[in-house]
Amino acid sequence: MRTSLAALVTLALALVVSAHEHDHEDQIPFNYVKYPYQATYPGDNEVTADSIFAGITTFAKLPWVQCLGRDRDTAFDIAFIGAPFDTGTSYRPGARFGPAGIRAGSRRLTLYGGYNVPLEVNPFLSGLKIVDCGDIPVTPYDNKYALKQIEEGHKELLHRRSYTPLGNDTLTGRPLAPISLDGKNHPRVVTLGGDHTIVLPLLRSIYSAYGPISVIHFDSHLDTWKPS
Ligand SMILES: *[C@@H]1O[C@H](CO)[C@@H](O)[C@H](O)[C@H]1NC(C)=O
């Protein structure tokens, strides 16, 4: 017992000594690893691997703002919002867990603050205010009512004024003009689904703010065609 304790003390001393022998400060700063409670977001590069598996999950661990509830007066530029709806599926439900699944998968975006290597950009450091608004409340019992909930929840966010005023065109330097029907700059809303049905209420909402729009559809196979 006494021998093993002595061995442990020796080992501890050896570790302390070796730590002093190498000047780690030149290689990795001592404060490199930040803990979640020290982290500030959006993506300020102060968050390291710890945060991927610790802490509360929001999209990319962005601040949670209850945009449809008590924080409705908080302005933002880009919002992530979930639409956990899947009762429009004919065969395999489960997409109602999509928003939560996407959020869980997006946790790694906190590593290096969300820097995109191929594109050489960090969208979280664009200077815009980016938040996670949580989910639109969606009933699983009545599809018609659920579509109304999604449309109205989306509309409510989309028609607000954005936090940051519209800047200048990076090419011409001229001030950008809003393309909305009311001539105001509105925030961008990224909706996490949800089955394909949610596209309909979202298009209705976007139409209400911008008029007729075009849709670019990315899919491994086209699920949305005419029933005939
Ligand atoms: C946009 O351009 C105007 C001049 O047209 C300039 O006064 C203003 O500072 C610019 N704004 C930004 C955000 O660069």
Side-chain angles (χ1 to χ4, degrees), residues 115-179:
Y115 184 76
N116 185 311
V117 175
L119 295 177
E120 296 180 354
V121 293
N122 186 342
F124 296 101
L125 293 179
S126 61
L128 298 176
K129 189 168 167 191
I130 315 174
V131 301
D132 187 331
C133 286
D135 292 337
I136 299 172
V138 181
T139 179
Y141 301 115
D142 183 341
N143 285 358
K144 223 171 171 177
Y145 191 75
L147 295 199
K148 210 168 143 53
Q149 287 178 304
I150 296 170
E151 182 180 337
E152 278 170 12
H154 192 272
K155 248 187 206 164
E156 165 130 14
L157 301 184
L158 194 63
H159 283 263
R160 291 183 187 173
R161 295 294 293 270
S162 59
Y163 177 76
T164 307
L166 208 51
N168 296 334
D169 191 311
T170 46
L171 289 179
T172 65
R174 288 205 208 102
L176 291 165
I179 56 167

Side-chain angles (χ1 to χ4, degrees), residues 1-23:
M1 183 76 180
R2 201 173 267 181
T3 319
S4 62
L5 190 67
L8 265 180
V9 170
T10 314
L11 187 64
L13 282 174
L15 283 174
V16 168
V17 169
S18 70
H20 273 280
E21 275 171 1
H22 299 280
D23 192 0

Side-chain angles (χ1 to χ4, degrees), residues 41 47 51-53 56-62 80 98-115 124 132 192:
Y41 225 88
V47 185
S51 296
I52 292 180
F53 42 80
I56 308 292
T57 303
T58 60
F59 185 83
K61 304 203 77 183
L62 289 165
F80 288 87
I102 294 166
R103 287 192 178 98
S106 74
R107 295 176 67 97
R108 67 165 298 283
L109 286 173
T110 54
L111 189 61
Y112 313 122
Y115 184 76
F124 296 101
D132 187 331
L192 316 172

